[in-house]
Amino acid sequence: MDQQLEASTLGMWVFLVTEIMFFGGLFMAYILYRYWYPDAWAAASNHLNVQMGAANTIVLIISSLTMAMAVRSAQVGSRGGQIFFLIATILFGATFLGVKYFEYAEKFEHHLVPGLGQVFAAPGDHIHATHANVGSAEQLFFSLYFIMTGIHALHMVVGIGIMSVMLFWAWRGRFSPEYYAPVEVSGLYWHFVDIVWIFLFPLLYLLGAHLGAGH
Amino acid sequence: MSNSHTPHIITPASTYVMVFGGLIVLTILTYLAAINDFGALNTPIALGIAVLKASLVVLFFMGVRYNTPLTKVVVVAGFFWLLIMFGLTMGDYVSRSWLGVPGR
Amino acid sequence: MPTHFPLFPPTASTVAVEMDLLYLFIVAICAFFAILVVAVITYFTLKYRRRSPDAVGADIHGSLALELTWTFIPFVLAMVMFGWGASLFFRLASPPANAMELFVVGKQWMWKVQHPEGVREINEMHVPVGRPVRVSIGSEDVLHDYFIPAFRVKMDAVPGKVTTLWFEATQVGTYHIFCAEYCGTKHSGMIGQVIVMSPQDYEAWLAGGKSTGTAVENGERLFTDLSCVTCHKPDSSGRGPSLLGVFGSTVSLADGRKVVADENYLRESIMNSQAKIVAGYQGIMPTFQGMVTEENLLQLIAYIKTLKPAAPAGGQGK
Amino acid sequence: MTIAPRLEDRKSYLDAPHGIASWLLTKDHKRIAMLYLISITIFFAIGGLFALGIRLELLTPKGDLVSGDTYNKMFTLHGVVMIFFFLIPSIPATLGNFLIPIMVGAKDLAFPRINLLSWYLYIIGGIMALVAVAGGGLDTGWTFYTPYSTQASQTSVTLAAMAAFTAGFSSILTGFNFIVTVHRMRAPGMTWFRLPLFVWAQYATSLVMILGTPVIAITLTLVMVERSLHFPVFDPKIGGDPVLFQHLFWFYSHPAVYIMILPGMGVVSELVASVARKQIFGYAFVAFSSLAIAILGFLVWGHHLFVSSQSIYAGLVFSIITMLVAVPSAVKTFNWAATMYKGAVTWESPTFWVIGFMGLFLIGGLTGLFLATLGLDIHLTDTYFVVAHFHYIMVGGAIMAFLGGLHFWWPKMTGRMYSEPFAKASAILVFVGFNLTFGPQFLLGYLGMPRRYHEYPPEFAVLNVLSTAGATILGLGYGLCLIYLLWSLKKGAIAPANPWGAKGLEWEKTQSPPTTFNFDEEVIVTEPAYNYAGSKVHHG
Ligand code: HEA
Ligand code: HEA
Ligand code: CUA
Ligand SMILES: [Cu+2]
C-alpha cells in the first residue's frame, strides 16, 4: 500500500473511532433505560414497523456491497464499473431514506413522537389503550428511537453527498489503480454507517418482536 | 516513516458476494430469532448476530483483514473504549441498591 | 468588616473532628512533597548554574532504582489516603438504625423541612444535640445540594429520586445551611440555618410548633384523598396489590425480575407507575406525576412504610 | 551544518506570500498556528474580563455590583470561554501545530487542509459563542447540568451548546491530524524513542481528543434536542436520569483536563532539558507516563459524582483509580527535578516560568488528592476548594507552561527576541498574583463557601478581598506579558537560529523563523533527543 493511501486509511479509521464514541453516547442512554424499563421498552418497540426496518437493513447491506464493488472497480481501473456502482450505492442510500420518511410519517400519525408540543399517544391510540396513562418510559424509547435513527439518517445524507462527489470525480476519470484513496476512504465511511444500522435494527425494532405483532 | 510496503491485495468480487450472502442470511436469522421468545437469551442472541455481521463488514468490506496491524489496533481500541464507558457507567447503576440507603 | 478570621468551620458533628484530621493528614503529606520538590529544584538551579555559555550538563540518563522508588512511595501514600477516605465515606453514607428522620425538599430557591411529628419550617432546621438524624432529601425542580459545613455533610437533591444524608450534632448552636449545587438565579440565596438545641429545648420547640399533622398522618390522609385506598386495600381484594408490609420486601415484577421495595421504588411506583409492574397485576395504576408535590410524596412514603413494622431496608436500582 | 540567519537569503514562512488571503487560505501549519495564537489570545482576554467581573462582584459580601442572573452568566461564560475556546486549543493548536511537524522532521502535518478547516470550525464556534453571549448569555455553569439546562434556564443554552460542539469538532480534527502525522510523517531515523517528549505528550493528548470529544458532542446534542425539540432523554419527570447526563459529561470532561495539562507537561519536559542542557532524566518513564495519564484518565470521571447519588461502590472504584492516575504525574515531577541535577542551568526567562509551573502545578495536583479522597470530598465538593484546585492546575500549571513555551519558542516563531527583564518581571508578577488570588480560596473552600455564589456570608469577606487583590496583580502580570511580546514584534532584536543553544530539529535544522517547508534538505535523524552531552551545541 502506498504512503498516501496508508495515511488516509489510517486517518479515516481514526475518524471512525470518534464516530464510534459519538454513537456510543446514545447507546449508553439506550442501555441504561432499557435496563430500567425492560417491559415498557419491549412494548414500545413493538410499535415500530419491523417490515420497513428489515427492508431497510437489506437495502443498506446491498448498498455496502455496491460500495465495495465501486472501490474494487477503482482498484482494477474500471471507470465504467466505478460509475455504475457509485450510482447504485447512491440509489440504495436514497431508498433507505425514502423508507425512513414513510416510517417517520407513520409515527407522526400515530402520535408516537414525543415533544414538538404534541400530545404523546393520543386517546384511543393503542399505546393509550393498553396502558392506563400516557406511557412515560415509552416516551424515552421513542425519544431515543428518533434521535438515534435521525442521527443515523443524517450520516446517510452526508454519505450520499460524499458519494456524489466521488461519482463526479470518477466520471472525470480521476481515479486509477495508482490513485483511489478518496473512494477507498469514503467507502470506509459508508460501511461504518451500515454497521451502525446493523446494531440499531435489532436493538430498536426487534426488541419486542417476540411479544407478537403490534400492528 | 514506515517503509513497509504491504502488497496490494484486491479482494475478488466473489468474496464480496459471499460476504453479502452471509449478511443477508444473518439478517433473516436475527429476525427469526427475534419473533421467538428465548427468555433471557433474546438480547445475547440479537447482539451476537449483530456483532457477527459487523465483523464481516469490518473485516471484508472495509478490508481490515488485509490492513496494517496499526489499523487493527485502532479499530479494537475504538470498541474497547466504548466498553469502558458502558462498563463503568452501568457499574454505578447496577450497584446503587447494594447499600440499601436511597441515593447512596 | 468582621474581625475574626477562622480557618476551620465550627466542628459541630461527630464526624467533623475526624474530617479535620484527615484533611490535616493530607495537608501534611502534600506540603511535604510540594516543599521537597520546589526546594530541590531551586537548589539545583542555583548550585548547577550555567558557568559558561557553552557548558552542558552531565551525561546522566536515568536510574531504574530511583524511578521505582518514586513510583512506589506516592502509590503507597495515595492508597493510605484512599483507605481512610473510603472508611469515612462509608460511615457518612450509612445512617444508624436508631436515627430520627427528617424530610427536606429543595425547590428554587428554598429548603422545606418537615419533622416526623409534623412541624414544618422553611430555611431553618431545628435538631436535638446528641441524636443521629437522618435526612431524606428530594427536589421539586432542578438539582440542589444540602450542605451543612459545620457538620461536614453534603448531599445532592436530585429530582426524581430520594437521597439521604445523616449527622449527629455535638454542639448546641446555629450553623449555616447552603445550597451547594448550582440551581439558578438565587442559588446563593438558598441558604438557611440549622439550630442545634438541647433535647429538652427541642421537645419544647416541637411542642410549641404548629403541627400540621405528622408526616404519617398527612400521608394517610393523602392516601384517602388521592383515592389510593380504592385500589390498595389491606387484603388482596383491590385492583392493586395490598401495600401491607411492602416496604423492604422483595417484589416480583411482571417481567420476572425481583426488586427490593425501598423509598425510591415506592416513589417510582407512584410517580411513574408504569416503570415496574408487579407480577400478577395490570399496569392500570395512574401516574401521580404532577398531582402530588415532592413533600406529599415523602409523606405518602412515610405512611406506606408504617403499614408494617419496617423490615431491614433493601434497595432497588435508583 | 550552519543555518542562514533570517532575512539573509531565504524568505521565512512569515514573508512568503503576503496579504490577508494568503493567511486565511494558508495550508502552512506555522501560519495556522499563528492564526490560532491570535484567536486564543482574544478569547483569553474575553474570559479574563469575565473573571475580573466575578472578582469585583465578590469584593463585598452583598450582591451589589451586578444582579444574580448577571453573575451567573459571568462565571458560566468565563468557564465556557476559558475551557473550550482558550485552554483546550491553547498549546496543541499553537505550539503543537507549529512544532510537531518540525520536531518529527516533516514539511507539514499529514492533512494541511483539515488543519485549516479546524481553525475555521474553531472560529465559527467562537462566533456562535459570542452571539450567545450577546443574545441572552448562558447561565448553566460550564457543566450544563440537566435538568437546569434543559428545562429551567432562560438563556441561549442551545446556541452555546452548539458553539461548544463546533469547537469540539475542531479539536477532534487537530488530534486526528497529530496522530496520523506522528505515525506516518516521521523523518528517516526518527524512531519513537528519539521523539522529543513534547511530541509524546501531544500524541497522548490527541488520543484523549479522539476518544473523548465525540462523547461531549453527543451529550450536548442530547441537551439541545431535549431543550429545543422536547425529546426527553434526561427528564426526571418521565423517568429519565439527570445523573446520566453527568456520567456522559464527565466521561469527556475529566479526560479533557488532561487535554489541558498533558501538552503543558510536554512543554515543561522540553524546557527542563533545554534550561539544564541535559538529557531528560528517565526519558522512557516520562514518555510512557503521558500515555498512562491519557489512558487511566478515562477511568476516573466518577470522582465528580461523589455526592450526586452515584452508588458508593462506584465511588470506591473511581476514587482508587483517581489515586492511581496521580502516580504517573508524580513520576514526571520527580524526573523533571532530577534532570536539573548536575545540569548547566541557565537563568534566562524560560527558567522562571518552569519553576513557577512546578510550584503551582504541584499545589494544584496535590489538592486534587484531597478531592479524590472520598470522605473528604463530601465536605469539599462544590466549594471554593475545588475552584482553587482547578485554577492552580489550569491557570498555574497549564498557562504557566503555555507562557513558558511561548517565550521559549517565540524567537523561532516570530524571529524576534523579547525583553528578558520584562519577561522575568512578568513571570514573577503572575506567580505572586496567582498565589494571592487562589491561595485564599482553599481556605474559603474548607470553611464551606460554596462555588457559584453571588452573595456570601460576611465571615468570608477578608479572604475574598485578598483574592480580588491578587487577581488584579495577576491581570497586570498577563497584561505586561502581552505588551512586551507585541512590542518585540516591531522592536525586538533579530533572533538567531538557536538563541538558547538548545538541541532539537527546530533549533538545529531550521532558521528563525523557518521557511515555508521548514527544512532545506531532507532530514535524517542520527541521535536521540536532548543529546547535549554527546554532541556539540551550535549556540546562536
Ligand atoms: C488541567 C486540569 C486538571 C488537572 C490536570 C487535574 C488533575 C487532577 N484532579 Fe482535578 N479538576 C479540574 C481540572 C484538573 N484536575 C477541574 C476543572 C475540576 C472541576 C470541574 C468543575 O466541577 O467545574 C476538577 C475537579 C476535580 C475533582 C472533583 C472535585 C469535586 O467537584 O468534588 C477531583 C476529585 O477527585 C479532582 C482530582 C484530581 C486529581 C487527583 C488530579 C491528578 O491528575 C493530579 C496529579 C498530580 C499530582 C498528584 C502532583 C504531583 C505528584 C507528586 C509531587 C507526588 C506526590 C504524590 C502523592 C503522594 C500521590 N479534580
Ligand atoms: C483555563 C481556564 C481558566 C482560567 C485561565 C481562569 C482564570 C481566572 N479565573 Fe476562573 N474559572 C474557570 C476556568 C478558568 N479561570 C472555570 C472552568 C470556572 C468554573 C465556572 C463554573 O463554575 O461554571 C472558573 C470559575 C472561576 C471563579 C469562581 C466563580 C464562582 O464559582 O462563583 C472565580 C472566582 O474567583 C474565577 C476567577 C478567575 C480569575 C481571577 C482568573 C484570572 O487568572 C484571569 C486573569 C486574566 C485576565 C485578568 C485577563 C488578562 C488580561 C489581558 C490578556 C489583557 C487585557 C486585554 C484587553 C482587555 C483587550 N474563576
Ligand atoms: Cu439550590 Cu443551588
Ligand atoms: Cu476530574
Side-chain angles (χ1 to χ4, degrees):
Chain A
M1 229 192 268
D2 69 305
Q3 283 299 322
Q4 210 269 334
L5 181 62
E6 219 177 283
S8 5
T9 318
L10 177 65
M12 189 38 119
W13 270 109
V14 172
F15 178 73
L16 291 183
V17 168
T18 70
E19 289 276 16
I20 293 177
M21 298 309 291
F22 185 77
F23 280 99
L26 294 172
F27 282 103
M28 183 61 246
Y30 175 96
I31 294 173
L32 171 63
Y33 294 139
R34 177 159 170 196
Y35 166 72
W36 271 0
Y37 311 117
D39 284 346
W41 274 45
S45 151
N46 233 1
H47 292 281
L48 296 186
N49 190 326
V50 182
Q51 284 77 23
M52 287 200 193
N56 256 348
T57 310
I58 308 268
V59 168
L60 266 196
I61 293 176
I62 301 178
S63 81
S64 257
L65 175 67
T66 57
M67 185 68 237
M69 291 305 291
V71 176
R72 191 172 180 284
S73 308
Q75 288 169 334
V76 301
S78 150
R79 176 166 164 272
Q82 287 169 54
I83 295 179
F84 174 79
F85 283 117
L86 282 172
I87 291 182
T89 308
I90 293 175
L91 286 182
F92 284 114
T95 313
F96 178 92
L97 289 177
V99 174
K100 262 278 58 93
Y101 170 79
F102 287 110
E103 262 191 272
Y104 282 174
E106 191 185 273
K107 299 293 162 308
F108 270 95
E109 270 166 39
H110 292 181
H111 296 279
L112 293 174
V113 186
L116 298 172
Q118 296 205 17
V119 181
F120 187 73
D125 190 65
H126 32 260
I127 280 218
H128 197 82
T130 47
H131 297 296
N133 59 329
V134 187
S136 39
E138 285 87 347
Q139 274 197 60
L140 284 175
F141 176 87
F142 279 102
S143 243
L144 278 174
Y145 162 77
F146 276 106
I147 298 173
M148 290 171 111
T149 56
I151 291 182
H152 177 263
L154 220 63
H155 276 77
M156 293 289 299
V157 173
V158 172
I160 291 180
I162 297 176
M163 288 314 146
S164 310
V165 176
M166 290 307 127
L167 177 60
F168 178 68
W169 284 349
W171 177 66
R172 297 278 291 267
R174 197 166 156 179
F175 303 123
S176 67
E178 285 72 48
Y179 174 74
Y180 58 89
V183 210
E184 164 96 26
V185 298
S186 325
L188 290 180
Y189 174 86
W190 189 271
H191 295 307
F192 171 79
V193 177
D194 184 15
I195 290 181
V196 174
W197 186 259
I198 284 178
F199 283 96
L200 288 181
F201 175 60
L203 290 181
L204 293 174
Y205 291 79
L206 297 180
L207 171 58
H210 60 273
L211 301 177
H215 282 261
Chain B
M1 219 174 278
S2 109
N3 285 319
S4 61
H5 276 253
T6 339
H8 213 137
I9 296 162
I10 299 180
T11 315
S14 57
T15 311
Y16 284 149
V17 174
M18 265 155 61
V19 169
F20 169 75
L23 288 172
I24 297 290
V25 170
L26 286 172
T27 306
I28 297 171
L29 219 72
T30 193
Y31 177 74
L32 292 179
I35 54 177
N36 291 296
D37 194 353
F38 298 99
L41 285 180
N42 282 336
T43 312
I45 293 178
L47 277 181
I49 298 181
V51 168
L52 215 63
K53 285 168 69 180
S55 317
L56 282 178
V57 175
V58 168
L59 289 176
F60 293 95
F61 282 172
M62 302 175 89
V64 165
R65 195 159 167 241
Y66 311 109
N67 232 308
T68 55
L70 179 61
T71 315
K72 289 178 189 148
V73 172
V74 172
V75 179
V76 173
F79 287 103
F80 183 71
W81 245 253
L82 210 55
L83 290 184
I84 292 181
M85 172 160 80
F86 296 165
L88 282 173
T89 309
M90 286 316 289
D92 168 20
Y93 288 102
V94 169
S95 62
R96 280 198 186 176
S97 56
W98 291 358
L99 188 70
V101 178
R104 295 287 190 170
Chain C
M1 185 152 277
T3 43
H4 77 294
F5 189 68
L7 292 181
F8 289 90
T11 41
S13 78
T14 44
V15 295
V17 174
E18 184 178 345
M19 186 79 83
D20 290 359
L21 281 179
L22 176 55
Y23 175 67
L24 290 173
F25 169 70
I26 304 181
V27 168
I29 295 185
C30 292
F32 170 77
F33 278 103
I35 293 171
L36 177 82
V37 174
V38 172
V40 163
I41 291 186
T42 317
Y43 175 72
F44 285 166
T45 1
L46 291 170
K47 171 114 196 278
Y48 302 109
R49 222 168 29 252
R50 195 176 291 172
R51 314 252 169 205
S52 80
D54 284 332
V56 294
D59 192 12
I60 303 172
H61 288 252
S63 147
L64 187 60
L66 271 180
E67 301 288 351
L68 292 181
T69 318
W70 61 49
T71 309
F72 187 67
I73 293 177
F75 170 75
V76 171
L77 288 173
M79 287 306 113
V80 174
M81 291 178 205
F82 167 76
W84 189 348
S87 105
L88 185 59
F89 187 57
F90 259 90
R91 275 173 282 143
L92 281 164
S94 325
N98 63 346
M100 64 183 261
E101 189 172 14
L102 295 187
F103 303 94
V104 168
V105 173
K107 75 176 267 211
Q108 284 172 323
W109 291 275
M110 62 165 98
W111 292 108
K112 295 194 266 184
V113 180
Q114 184 174 11
H115 292 254
E117 295 78 7
V119 181
R120 293 152 189 265
E121 31 187 349
I122 285 183
N123 292 345
E124 277 195 359
M125 183 168 84
H126 289 76
V127 292
V129 72
R131 201 164 143 203
V133 178
R134 170 190 175 132
V135 185
S136 291
I137 307 168
S139 164
E140 277 190 13
D141 34 46
V142 298
L143 297 169
H144 303 276
D145 186 297
Y146 203 58
F147 177 28
I148 307 170
F151 296 165
R152 314 285 189 276
V153 292
K154 182 186 284 149
M155 189 68 201
D156 274 8
V158 184
K161 69 178 84 167
V162 182
T163 59
T164 314
L165 66 71
W166 79 275
F167 57 82
E168 183 178 330
T170 53
Q171 298 280 326
V172 173
T174 303
Y175 310 104
H176 288 297
I177 299 171
F178 291 129
C179 174
E181 184 69 65
Y182 176 68
C183 55
T185 311
K186 287 202 230 143
H187 164 57
S188 60
M190 195 165 159
I191 58 179
Q193 287 176 326
V194 200
I195 295 142
V196 181
M197 312 170 105
S198 68
Q200 304 81 333
D201 288 353
Y202 178 68
E203 291 308 326
W205 175 83
L206 268 186
K210 206 160 64 250
S211 172
T212 46
T214 67
V216 173
E217 284 162 15
N218 282 325
E220 186 169 10
R221 211 186 49 239
L222 283 165
F223 202 73
T224 320
D225 290 354
L226 296 166
S227 57
C228 314
V229 274
T230 54
C231 298
H232 296 289
K233 310 227 161 101
D235 49 24
S236 52
S237 64
R239 287 196 288 164
S242 159
L243 296 182
L244 293 188
V246 63
F247 181 73
S249 70
T250 305
V251 179
S252 306
L253 301 182
D255 57 17
R257 288 183 304 162
K258 291 193 186 329
V259 296
V260 177
D262 67 353
E263 286 91 339
N264 272 320
Y265 170 77
L266 297 182
R267 184 184 194 297
E268 189 181 42
S269 297
I270 301 166
M271 299 299 260
N272 188 7
S273 45
Q274 303 307 314
K276 299 202 174 57
I277 308 288
V278 181
Y281 291 87
Q282 293 293 308
I284 49 164
M285 171 164 160
T287 173
F288 287 85
Q289 179 79 52
M291 294 172 62
V292 294
T293 62
E294 207 63 31
E295 259 182 298
N296 295 159
L297 195 65
L298 288 174
Q299 290 160 348
L300 275 172
I301 293 174
Y303 169 67
I304 296 174
K305 279 161 81 172
T306 61
L307 290 177
K308 198 192 121 187
Q316 162 265 351
K318 268 184 114 175
Chain D
M1 190 181 105
T2 50
I3 296 139
R6 183 177 178 257
L7 302 177
E8 219 168 69
D9 42 7
R10 282 181 312 277
K11 285 186 158 188
S12 80
Y13 79 99
L14 291 171
D15 317 307
H18 275 288
I20 291 278
S22 77
W23 279 85
L24 292 183
L25 297 175
T26 182
K27 284 181 273 164
D28 181 350
H29 64 103
K30 298 181 288 303
R31 287 191 163 198
I32 296 174
M34 288 316 229
L35 291 176
Y36 261 118
L37 183 59
I38 297 166
S39 348
I40 64 164
T41 309
I42 293 171
F43 279 103
F44 179 64
I46 297 174
L49 283 181
F50 285 124
L52 288 181
I54 295 173
R55 284 313 332 159
L56 282 179
E57 170 60 64
L58 295 179
L59 196 53
T60 55
K62 290 229 164 47
D64 34 21
L65 186 65
V66 295
S67 71
D69 281 329
T70 312
Y71 181 81
N72 294 343
K73 288 178 191 169
M74 284 200 303
F75 73 71
T76 302
L77 293 165
H78 166 68
V80 168
V81 166
M82 285 295 199
I83 299 245
F84 293 111
F85 294 97
F86 170 66
L87 199 51
I88 287 183
S90 65
I91 296 183
T94 59
L95 298 176
N97 249 340
F98 195 97
L99 293 166
I100 288 178
I102 305 186
M103 284 180 164
V104 303
K107 288 196 177 75
D108 206 320
L109 286 173
F111 305 104
R113 278 199 198 86
I114 290 184
N115 198 18
L116 182 63
L117 175 64
S118 93
W119 181 73
Y120 275 103
L121 283 172
Y122 167 83
I123 291 296
I124 294 172
I127 291 173
M128 290 204 254
L130 294 181
V131 172
V133 171
L138 175 72
D139 73 346
T140 58
W142 83 279
T143 47
F144 290 96
Y145 274 13
T146 55
Y148 188 78
S149 61
T150 48
Q151 295 173 1
S153 176
Q154 304 291 321
T155 54
S156 318
V157 179
T158 309
L159 190 58
M162 206 124 65
F165 180 106
T166 315
F169 200 9
S170 147
S171 142
I172 289 178
L173 294 183
T174 304
F176 144 94
N177 224 332
F178 287 177
I179 290 185
V180 180
T181 305
V182 175
H183 273 287
R184 288 282 170 257
M185 311 277 287
R186 278 173 286 126
M190 180 54 91
T191 59
W192 281 89
F193 290 100
R194 285 180 177 170
L195 283 174
L197 288 166
F198 179 68
V199 178
W200 273 96
Q202 284 290 353
Y203 182 80
T205 310
S206 307
L207 289 180
V208 182
M209 288 174 161
I210 290 297
L211 292 164
T213 319
V215 178
I216 191 76
I218 190 67
T219 311
L220 291 177
T221 308
L222 289 175
V223 168
M224 293 187 254
V225 169
E226 175 157 347
R227 186 177 166 88
S228 46
L229 302 179
H230 306 289
F231 277 30
V233 178
F234 304 115
D235 185 355
K237 286 205 201 64
I238 61 155
D241 188 15
V243 182
L244 176 64
F245 171 86
Q246 298 176 26
H247 273 295
L248 292 173
F249 180 86
W250 290 111
F251 179 86
Y252 163 74
S253 293
H254 180 80
V257 311
Y258 297 116
I259 297 183
M260 304 180 226
I261 199 68
L262 276 170
M265 293 169 153
V267 166
V268 170
S269 301
E270 296 298 314
L271 261 56
V272 164
S274 155
V275 300
R277 289 254 180 90
K278 194 162 162 280
Q279 163 72 40
I280 199 97
F281 195 89
Y283 175 97
F285 285 88
V286 179
F288 281 117
S289 60
S290 290
L291 289 183
I293 291 175
I295 292 170
L296 285 176
F298 272 100
L299 309 175
V300 305
W301 77 82
H303 65 213
H304 296 272
L305 280 70
F306 288 154
V307 299
S308 68
S309 82
Q310 168 182 257
S311 130
I312 64 164
Y313 298 93
L316 284 182
V317 173
F318 284 122
S319 169
I320 200 164
I321 308 178
T322 307
M323 293 294 182
L324 292 183
V325 84
V327 174
S329 304
V331 169
K332 270 191 197 298
T333 313
F334 294 128
N335 278 302
W336 291 325
T339 304
M340 299 292 203
Y341 174 69
K342 290 201 170 170
V345 187
T346 178
W347 272 92
E348 287 157 310
S349 54
T351 313
F352 283 68
W353 296 103
V354 168
I355 296 184
F357 167 89
M358 292 288 181
L360 302 182
F361 167 74
L362 275 176
I363 299 178
L366 291 167
T367 49
L369 297 174
F370 290 68
L371 300 171
T373 303
L374 284 164
L376 198 49
D377 185 62
I378 292 203
H379 180 59
L380 293 176
T381 184
D382 282 320
T383 67
Y384 263 80
F385 194 94
V386 177
V387 174
H389 155 68
F390 67 72
H391 281 91
Y392 260 87
I393 214 159
M394 298 201 296
V395 188
I399 296 190
M400 275 292 206
F402 173 57
L403 289 177
L406 198 61
H407 281 80
F408 183 62
W409 283 294
W410 188 260
K412 183 56 61 184
M413 297 169 82
T414 66
R416 300 284 182 161
M417 302 301 291
Y418 46 82
S419 146
E420 273 285 312
F422 274 114
K424 289 176 188 166
S426 157
I428 293 172
L429 265 186
V430 168
F431 186 82
V432 172
F434 183 87
N435 280 302
L436 191 56
T437 314
F438 297 106
Q441 295 186 359
F442 285 122
L443 304 175
L444 277 175
Y446 200 79
L447 277 173
M449 175 164 166
R451 59 192 287 205
R452 299 168 171 176
Y453 260 31
H454 162 233
E455 303 174 303
Y456 53 85
E459 69 254 37
F460 300 143
V462 178
L463 290 167
N464 270 299
V465 170
L466 284 180
S467 179
T468 302
T472 321
I473 302 178
L474 182 57
L476 286 178
Y478 287 134
L480 179 64
C481 184
L482 187 72
I483 291 169
Y484 69 78
L485 283 180
L486 285 176
W487 176 266
S488 78
L489 290 180
K490 281 268 170 255
K491 306 276 166 158
I494 303 285
N498 191 358
W500 315 112
K503 298 288 292 182
L505 294 180
E506 80 274 29
W507 299 116
E508 295 177 288
K509 304 267 167 158
T510 71
Q511 59 175 46
S512 291
T515 51
T516 301
F517 294 110
N518 301 337
F519 306 102
D520 299 324
E521 51 197 67
E522 180 149 8
V523 179
I524 296 171
V525 180
T526 52
E527 55 173 10
Y530 321 114
N531 191 15
Y532 284 96
S535 74
K536 269 202 81 63
V537 186
H538 302 278
H539 195 179

